[in-house]
Amino acid sequence: MRTVDGRQWANREDLIEHSGYSRATLGALWRDRETNSHPPARTIGGVMHWDLEEWTGWFAKHCERPRDLSKVDRKGDPDEMLPPSGQASVLGVDRARITQYKKKPPPGWPEPIHTEQLAKSVREYRTRRQLWEFADNPAGGLGTKGGRPGRSKRTKSEGAGPDPRIQLAAEALAALPGCKAGEVASVLAERHGSSVDTWKRIITEARKMQPDPRVQLAKDTLASMQGRTVAEVASVLAQRHGWAVKTWEQIIADIRRVQQR
């Protein structure tokens, strides 16, 4: 925090601590400043700062908009991966809303943590934690009307070949196996520019092109623990590699469905 002429100026880290919201959320608010009247920034020491009093007043008004959060289900394992029907149940919306979000996602709609290839489509899984953050997101969430346009196609200037950023994302995922998508996206944004949300979408594409490393971990553990129950195997995986037991149970169930085909 800096003090200039008796006024406090906060950088992005200060605002994160002050508001309790994530870097991605505050970044989205700044990105949409032309439409949401976000206060202007002042560069101090080569870093953007905002007048804390002015920003706090603006932020309070920005959050004062219709939001129906009464139907959001706050119970359950925050890291459990849910299919579309489960996502709708957590948010208290119709299943069709989740289908609409897939085609035309609103601001703040999280990228899937896991995808399952079906005969004619892809089923997307998200965690309760992602859904709760989306519902509470002041930059979008359940208070947003409509959705943003679907993911835009690359421009001619970017070329017609494969997006080179996908390879960068794949390399970062391999180098940071224990990190979540948002953490990897933050690293990529700092290294190569573009927003964290943009890199999250690219990471999703990169993951579609390579197997989920957790699947192989689960297969190896299943092979070494033959005769043990799914719950026991999932518990061992959770202790060794993190993620919730129910998340590993879901991955094991997906493996067995594929093996039974």
Side-chain angles (χ1 to χ4, degrees):
M1 196 84 69
R2 298 290 189 91
T3 300
V4 179
D5 297 331
R7 299 186 69 84
Q8 286 187 305
W9 290 80
N11 60 21
R12 183 63 53 79
E13 296 298 330
D14 295 328
L15 292 181
I16 291 172
E17 182 177 355
H18 178 71
S19 66
Y21 286 96
S22 68
R23 176 181 295 276
T25 295
L26 298 184
L29 290 170
W30 174 248
R31 179 197 63 207
D32 299 332
R33 57 190 178 278
E34 293 185 1
T35 57
N36 63 23
S37 301
H38 192 291
R42 174 177 178 176
T43 301
I44 303 176
V47 178
M48 287 196 302
H49 285 69
W50 290 267
D51 183 304
L52 185 59
E53 182 178 349
E54 180 184 9
W55 188 92
T56 300
W58 167 83
F59 186 72
K61 290 182 180 179
H62 181 78
C63 292
E64 291 175 356
R65 68 187 198 284
R67 301 169 63 80
D68 185 7
L69 303 182
S70 61
K71 297 180 180 179
V72 177
D73 183 0
R74 305 282 179 173
K75 300 184 296 294
D77 181 355
D79 292 320
E80 180 182 2
M81 296 190 299
L82 301 174
S85 58
Q87 296 169 40
S89 178
V90 168
L91 294 177
V93 299
D94 189 88
R95 169 70 170 75
R97 177 82 70 89
I98 305 301
T99 301
Q100 178 187 18
Y101 284 176
K102 183 176 180 180
K103 298 177 181 178
K104 194 175 182 181
W109 182 239
E111 295 292 343
I113 198 70
H114 175 65
T115 58
E116 178 184 359
Q117 184 65 53
L118 304 178
K120 296 183 179 180
S121 64
V122 175
R123 178 179 293 153
E124 297 181 343
Y125 289 80
R126 293 174 176 81
T127 64
R128 282 191 174 86
R129 190 189 307 278
Q130 287 181 300
L131 299 169
W132 294 336
E133 290 179 352
F134 166 72
D136 296 333
N137 186 351
L142 296 177
T144 304
K145 295 182 179 180
R148 66 174 184 266
R151 296 177 181 88
S152 59
K153 297 181 179 179
R154 298 172 63 209
T155 62
K156 293 181 179 179
S157 62
E158 292 178 296
D163 189 337
R165 296 175 299 178
I166 293 179
Q167 182 59 38
L168 292 173
E171 293 173 355
L173 286 169
L176 302 166
C179 295
K180 296 182 179 180
E183 295 170 331
V184 179
S186 295
V187 171
L188 288 164
E190 291 180 4
R191 290 179 181 173
H192 307 289
S194 295
S195 69
V196 172
D197 286 342
T198 295
W199 281 108
K200 283 183 179 179
R201 292 193 291 272
I202 296 170
I203 286 171
T204 298
E205 295 301 317
R207 281 178 167 169
K208 291 178 181 177
M209 299 175 65
Q210 62 182 30
D212 186 338
R214 295 175 301 178
V215 173
Q216 189 58 51
L217 290 171
K219 287 181 177 179
D220 293 342
T221 306
L222 282 168
S224 66
M225 296 180 64
Q226 293 183 4
R228 307 291 287 275
T229 66
V230 170
E232 290 174 328
V233 177
S235 178
V236 168
L237 286 164
Q239 291 175 3
R240 290 178 180 174
H241 308 289
W243 300 92
V245 171
K246 289 185 178 180
T247 296
W248 285 109
E249 289 177 343
Q250 180 66 60
I251 293 172
I252 292 171
D254 291 342
I255 291 171
R256 291 185 167 174
R257 274 198 296 269
V258 172
Q259 291 174 339
Q260 292 170 0
R261 289 176 182 172

